[in-house]
Amino acid sequence: MINRADVEKLRSMHAQRSAVLSLYLPVPLDPARLRGLAAEAGDLMGDVSANGPDSVSNAGVSNADRNAVLDALAAHGRDWLGHTVAFFACGELGLFEALPLPCLLPERAVLATRPHVRPLLAALQRCPDYRVAIADRRHSWVLSVSGNRVETVASQSEEGPRSPGFGGWYGLESHRIQQRIIQLGRHHYRDTAAILQRAAEASRNVPLVIGGHHDSIAALLQALPPAVRADFAGSFTADPHTLTPARIRELASPVIEGWVTRRERDLAGEILGQAPGRLAAAGLPACLTAVNEGAVACLLVAHEGMIPGFVCGRCGALSTGSDECPDWGTAARAVPDLLEEMVQRALDDDGQVTVIRDAPFIIAAKLRFPVAARGGGQ
Ligand SMILES: [Zn+2]
């Protein structure tokens, strides 16, 4: 599955002309529909030059790039059933990538001077890799989930006193054994917490789901150091001894979905809670100004569609009209998607980018310094 390094690698590629094809193609679950999908991919690639406003320099998808996509689809389509696959092709750059994404995204074809990565970022944020800890009083398992893949990272079991003989002991002796089991239990949760801490140090900001009986979840949560607890996304209750990797993923994925949605809502609320014009901007005009001034600390993109616009080849200003910078359009170049350009610019300036859903704005930003507002609205 894809990761941030793949996105950065793609972001480093630039072509002279609008010659980089980005094609996002949802592959149906039913293999019988693969043949129809090739025709659909062909249509998407055929239409793409007409979509862009850059009709003069944009000659459409080259035959070589188009064939490379169709060949890959014929060879690997069956491995991609149920996934959206992102293709990036540009003969001029020697670029060809076909990346299955962890979640389904709508189809899209873009021709631009570089790979169109906004949907990749959305996929990484909506379907993140995560960890699951399953624990009961004696055993624990730590698993890592990436797309459909579930791997056991660590498992441990604490040998308590054996159960034979248990029922025959009474009184003080039995009480001692009970105490010992509880002690073991506490150590055991601490040990599991230590495993999770090491995992969190190895790869940071990976959300954690805990599964098991109610009291085990509470005990493990209590044993977690604050840094690991900050990654806690939620829990599910289940009998650990009935769980399979597939079932674990089934139970954990709604927990992760809820966590992603909460995080999106919190981020949007945080920005909207700021006094406008101070350290926040909402709407396309205000955010264009902020991006052009390099003021964006965190960009929140809520609109999924593309918004055509212009970039000035001289001063670099991004704008909705071709004559909005001091160069009066003398060096303006059409771009198929201003939101993508803003995302790229924010990332270049070491800003953060989050793609969210269901927000009352197209785009919003948390700013590093206030910028003069220019116009209003969305
Ligand atoms: Zn300019």
Side-chain angles (χ1 to χ4, degrees):
M1 286 292 163
I2 54 159
N3 56 40
R4 282 306 284 243
D6 296 319
V7 177
E8 285 309 306
K9 193 178 129 206
L10 287 163
R11 275 188 3 91
S12 69
M13 304 194 135
H14 293 254
Q16 287 302 313
R17 307 174 296 115
S18 293
V20 181
L21 168 70
S22 305
L23 174 69
Y24 290 85
L25 192 68
V27 180
L29 263 174
D30 179 4
R33 289 174 57 198
L34 278 178
R35 189 184 295 265
L37 185 66
E40 202 180 308
D43 289 347
L44 277 168
M45 290 188 282
D47 288 344
V48 70
S49 60
N51 290 342
D54 195 6
S55 52
V56 181
S57 64
N58 188 343
V61 180
S62 77
N63 275 336
D65 290 342
R66 185 190 150 87
N67 291 339
V69 168
L70 295 177
D71 289 350
L73 197 54
H76 304 291
R78 282 171 185 276
D79 305 331
W80 296 331
L81 300 176
H83 287 275
T84 291
V85 180
F87 298 92
F88 300 97
C90 176
E92 186 184 316
L93 297 178
L95 165 68
F96 185 82
E97 295 276 359
L99 308 168
L101 305 184
C103 51
L104 273 176
L105 291 174
E107 61 183 31
R108 170 173 295 181
V110 184
L111 262 184
T113 53
R114 55 184 166 187
H116 179 88
V117 300
R118 200 148 65 83
L120 281 188
L121 294 173
L124 281 174
Q125 280 158 21
R126 279 173 209 166
C127 305
D129 293 352
Y130 59 92
R131 264 190 280 279
V132 184
I134 307 288
D136 67 9
R137 287 173 54 181
R138 298 275 182 81
H139 310 93
S140 68
W141 300 263
V142 176
L143 305 101
S144 100
V145 183
S146 175
N148 293 341
R149 215 178 56 229
V150 183
E151 268 171 25
T152 305
V153 178
S155 68
Q156 69 156 10
S157 66
E158 191 105 39
E159 284 305 323
R162 307 211 174 263
S163 40
F166 227 106
W169 297 5
Y170 294 98
L172 186 62
E173 203 55 38
S174 166
H175 176 72
R176 267 195 206 137
I177 289 171
Q178 288 295 338
Q179 287 290 84
R180 178 162 157 66
I181 291 170
I182 290 163
Q183 282 292 322
L184 276 170
R186 279 191 194 131
H187 281 301
H188 164 61
Y189 291 121
R190 273 210 300 272
D191 291 348
T192 307
I195 291 172
L196 288 169
Q197 183 168 21
R198 284 198 295 278
E201 282 162 2
S203 47
R204 291 178 188 280
N205 302 321
V206 176
L208 168 69
V209 176
I210 300 178
H213 294 297
H214 191 76
D215 52 344
S216 302
I217 294 170
L220 179 54
L221 255 180
Q222 204 172 20
L224 291 181
V228 181
R229 215 192 147 106
D231 294 331
F232 177 62
S235 62
F236 62 84
T237 50
D239 178 357
H241 298 278
T242 64
L243 289 172
T244 61
R247 181 74 184 137
I248 288 170
R249 188 174 155 268
E250 211 171 273
L251 291 166
S253 70
V255 176
I256 287 294
E257 273 168 37
W259 175 80
V260 167
T261 308
R262 278 198 308 279
R263 237 169 49 124
E264 289 181 357
R265 216 174 33 217
D266 290 352
L267 266 170
E270 197 185 315
I271 288 187
L272 291 172
Q274 296 267 353
R278 296 288 302 159
L279 288 176
L284 188 59
C287 288
L288 276 171
T289 307
V291 168
N292 285 335
E293 298 201 15
V296 171
C298 173
L299 196 64
L300 287 186
V301 188
H303 185 66
E304 302 222 4
M306 300 201 286
I307 301 177
F310 298 87
V311 59
C312 175
R314 201 161 293 139
C315 71
L318 295 168
S319 57
T320 49
S322 64
D323 56 356
E324 287 176 19
C325 75
D327 302 297
W328 293 107
T330 51
R333 178 171 62 77
V335 289
D337 184 23
L338 273 180
L339 299 176
E340 170 80 10
E341 300 299 323
M342 295 166 86
V343 163
Q344 297 274 4
R345 200 68 67 83
L347 292 173
D348 290 345
D349 291 345
D350 294 324
Q352 292 189 343
V353 171
T354 308
V355 180
I356 68 173
R357 292 159 289 190
D358 303 327
F361 49 76
I362 285 173
I363 187 162
K366 193 151 68 171
L367 306 181
R368 295 196 170 104
F369 49 86
V371 294
R374 193 180 56 87
Q378 297 287 300

